[in-house]
Amino acid sequence: MIFDTIPVGQIDTNCYLIGDEKAGVCAVVDPGGSPERILEMIEKSGLRLEKIFLTHGHWDHVGAIPALLEKWPDLPVYAHEKELCPADEPNPHYFFPHAGKNQRTYGEGDELTLGSLKIQVMHTPGHSAGSVVLLVEDYMICGDTLFALGCGRWDLPGGDQGDLMWSLSRLGGLTKNYKVCPGHGEDSSLNFERKNNQYLKLAMDL
């Protein structure tokens, strides 16, 4: 498995590349901007881009999608259905209403394949209504739900503090010591966060 990350866009969103070198395919998670840097990361991997995954639809996580679809017009874009705004209710916090023929949805309990890799989806509302966490091998790609020593804000449209605490408690209850790969900032480990992250500790005590 190949796993890489680069900060992209105006506020350094972590864009991740997941790859199966044997199958020669990869996916990018949260291409939030700087499409030229994302294209360079894909080219450096030597793999064929097969999918785009979104942890949620906020502007800083989706900004490079149009450029990627221009290069790969048939590329599927996965997001939770609650992140897709109705066409008659534009919302500046979110991605355009949908990616047309490219749009796919996923949610709680889904398992996607990328070559031989299995990617599990957890629906983790709170930062937004349709936030998800992706689990692949030893990695937890958690968007803006869980940060190193922090958690995502809940005061944007679709956010809810109670939902976020519930989602954090679920993550804290996972038995594996995943590498925590957040939407912004440094990575961490789930064991470290369980011991030191005040938000995660509070959620687990509820």
Side-chain angles (χ1 to χ4, degrees):
M1 175 182 172
I2 292 176
F3 193 90
D4 199 3
T5 178
I6 53 171
V8 299
Q10 298 178 30
I11 55 176
D12 286 344
T13 300
N14 288 328
C15 175
Y16 295 98
L17 181 144
I18 307 166
D20 179 351
E21 61 267 47
K22 291 183 179 178
V25 296
C26 68
V28 293
V29 184
D30 290 354
S34 311
E36 68 288 344
R37 298 197 64 220
I38 297 173
L39 291 171
E40 182 180 348
M41 178 171 65
I42 296 168
E43 183 177 352
K44 180 181 175 182
S45 76
L47 305 176
R48 175 175 57 84
L49 183 60
E50 189 174 82
K51 297 177 172 95
I52 295 174
F53 298 135
L54 302 179
T55 62
H56 63 293
H58 286 161
W59 65 271
D60 56 314
H61 291 253
V62 303
I65 290 177
L68 295 179
L69 294 184
E70 184 175 349
K71 183 173 179 62
W72 291 283
D74 298 320
L75 200 64
V77 180
Y78 288 84
H80 193 279
E81 63 181 0
K82 289 187 176 180
E83 297 298 281
L84 307 180
C85 295
D88 58 349
E89 297 180 18
N91 185 328
H93 293 288
Y94 289 90
F95 188 29
F96 41 82
H98 55 76
K101 66 182 178 64
N102 304 79
Q103 191 66 66
R104 308 289 188 274
T105 58
Y106 54 19
E108 177 65 31
D110 286 344
E111 183 176 89
L112 288 82
T113 59
L114 181 69
S116 63
L117 300 175
K118 306 294 184 184
I119 300 163
Q120 295 178 300
V121 182
M122 294 178 66
H123 180 210
T124 53
H127 176 66
S128 70
S131 286
V132 300
V133 164
L134 304 176
L135 304 175
V136 53
E137 296 197 349
D138 295 329
Y139 297 91
M140 171 192 289
I141 304 175
C142 44
D144 290 358
T145 298
L146 177 65
F147 296 134
L149 298 177
C151 69
R153 57 191 295 184
W154 53 79
D155 59 337
L156 296 174
D160 183 275
Q161 184 179 11
D163 285 347
L164 183 58
M165 290 298 104
W166 176 81
S167 295
L168 290 174
S169 71
R170 292 187 66 210
L171 298 182
L174 296 172
T175 57
K176 192 171 184 176
N177 182 27
Y178 286 99
K179 181 176 181 179
V180 174
C181 303
H184 304 273
E186 299 297 320
D187 58 29
S188 184
S189 73
L190 191 54
N191 280 353
F192 179 86
E193 296 305 312
R194 276 190 277 250
K195 294 177 182 177
N196 299 283
N197 187 318
Q198 61 178 326
Y199 300 100
L200 189 58
K201 291 168 66 177
L202 175 61
M204 293 175 68
D205 287 341
L206 293 177

